[in-house]
């Protein structure tokens, strides 16, 4: 029983960053789409510019391997533009 619990925790720790990476990457795509179609989805130009700056920072963090910071930045951009 204890061995199963330890194995489950170990698997979670190993695969969690990959899941965060996938989430951040998917969210980056959503924000990119929203920015590229800002007028159509009702995002003001100044908001789209701020979202683009956050998007660039998120991409830098992702490339640096900081998935948590990437997700924080991209979540801020999503909230700003009401992106699901």
């Amino acid at each position: 029983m204890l061995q199963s619990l330890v194995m489950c925790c170990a698997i979670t720790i190993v695969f969690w960053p990959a899941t965060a990476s996938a989430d951040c990457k998917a969210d980056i795509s959503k924000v990119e789409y929203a920015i590229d179609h800002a007028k159509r989805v009702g995002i003001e130009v100044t908001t789209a510019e701020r979202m683009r700056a956050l998007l660039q920072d998120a991409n830098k963090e992702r490339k640096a391997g900081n998935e948590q910071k990437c997700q924080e930045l991209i979540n801020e951009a999503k909230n700003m533009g009401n992106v699901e």
Side-chain angles (χ1 to χ4, degrees), residues 16-18 20-21 24 57-71:
W16 181 76
S21 176
C24 192
D57 290 344
N59 274 316
K60 287 177 189 173
E61 292 296 338
R62 185 170 166 263
K63 288 178 183 173
N66 190 350
E67 295 298 326
Q68 182 177 355
K69 184 65 176 176
C70 173
Q71 193 64 56

Side-chain angles (χ1 to χ4, degrees), residues 18-34:
T19 303
S21 176
D23 290 344
C24 192
K25 186 175 181 178
D27 287 345
I28 284 172
S29 295
K30 291 176 185 177
V31 171
E32 286 174 336
Y33 180 87

Side-chain angles (χ1 to χ4, degrees), residues 12 14 20 22 26 28 38-39 43-44 51 57-58 63-64 76 79:
T12 301
V14 169
I28 284 172
K39 284 185 179 180
I43 298 173
E44 294 182 19
M51 289 172 66
D57 290 344
K63 288 178 183 173
E76 188 177 340
N79 289 337

